[in-house]
Amino acid sequence: MKISILTPTIRAQSLADMAECLKAQTFDKSEFEWLVDINITGEHDLNRAFNRLIKRSSGELIVFLEDFTRILP
């Protein structure tokens, strides 16, 4: 099952930490895609960003992770 991880952000500098968390995952990396939208300036843009990311996603399961989220392996 392919997983789409969607992350809209206004803090592109925080994406490096999330990338490290995703690299540390124990499942096959070919089973997920990470889509990021950094063009957000307000609350309404956040909703639009989620919609854009959903349209681009190809996973059977969609996970929303905010840019400051840290996940364990």
Side-chain angles (χ1 to χ4, degrees):
M1 174 187 305
K2 186 171 183 179
I3 301 169
S4 294
I5 301 167
L6 311 183
T7 305
T9 184
I10 59 171
R11 297 175 287 263
Q13 69 277 10
S14 66
L15 295 175
D17 289 339
M18 181 171 282
E20 290 302 315
C21 289
L22 292 175
K23 285 180 191 176
Q25 295 306 299
T26 57
F27 57 88
D28 185 353
K29 305 307 183 278
S30 67
E31 295 179 1
F32 78 89
E33 65 180 350
W34 182 30
L35 303 173
V36 177
D37 189 320
I38 58 171
N39 297 316
I40 301 169
T41 58
E43 183 178 330
H44 296 293
D45 280 349
L46 179 61
N47 294 333
R48 288 185 193 111
F50 274 124
N51 287 327
R52 283 191 299 268
L53 291 169
I54 289 169
K55 288 177 184 175
R56 289 178 37 210
S57 67
S58 63
E60 299 161 280
L61 179 66
I62 294 176
V63 177
F64 300 105
L65 290 179
E66 296 189 40
D67 54 9
F68 54 83
T69 305
R70 303 298 171 257
I71 54 176
L72 298 174

